[in-house]
Amino acid sequence: MSENQNIEWKEIWKDDYLAWICGFANGKGGSLYIGKNDKGECIGLPNACKLLEDLPNKIRDTLGIIAAVSLLNEGDNEYIEISVKSYPIAISYKGIYYCRSGSTNQKLAGL
């Protein structure tokens, strides 16, 4: 399986990925996996339990939405899945609107 309209893989967490969550919320929804490489292979996430605690609040406080954050295992490796539903109103990240299109996150202009 490869990245697509509803799936994005990242090896580590960066706060800039809140823009990807925003893009999913403004698109058809989707899942962001933290701890997987660009091929979708689980490489693990050393701080997975801390992220499991921190990310729901960070998403709510920054974007004003709720996303399901789950801790998953593959072999001995832990990784995080952030599931985002599509929202009926436009969601912004730092005043900028993003939308998932194909396997890219597009910055929207003119809103």
Side-chain angles (χ1 to χ4, degrees):
M1 181 174 12
S2 61
E3 292 179 330
N4 59 46
Q5 176 101 20
N6 305 95
I7 295 174
E8 180 72 27
W9 296 314
K10 299 294 183 188
E11 293 186 11
I12 60 170
W13 172 257
K14 295 179 183 177
D15 283 352
D16 289 344
Y17 297 152
L18 289 164
W20 291 93
I21 295 169
C22 177
F24 282 131
N26 289 327
K28 295 181 179 181
S31 293
L32 177 64
Y33 294 92
I34 311 298
K36 290 196 168 209
N37 65 21
D38 283 338
K39 296 179 182 177
E41 301 165 337
C42 185
I43 60 170
L45 195 59
N47 59 342
C49 288
K50 176 97 170 97
L51 283 173
L52 185 65
E53 294 175 12
D54 294 347
L55 286 176
N57 294 332
K58 185 177 292 251
I59 294 166
R60 182 200 62 218
D61 294 347
T62 305
L63 300 174
I65 64 172
I66 302 296
V69 180
S70 303
L71 180 63
L72 303 172
N73 293 294
E74 192 171 299
D76 293 333
N77 294 320
E78 294 181 322
Y79 65 102
I80 296 279
E81 177 186 18
I82 304 168
S83 295
V84 183
K85 68 176 187 169
S86 178
Y87 276 76
I89 59 169
I91 305 298
S92 72
Y93 171 60
K94 295 185 176 182
I96 300 170
Y97 296 86
Y98 296 88
C99 186
R100 184 75 174 183
S101 177
S103 61
T104 66
N105 205 37
Q106 299 292 315
K107 187 175 178 180
L108 301 177
L111 290 180

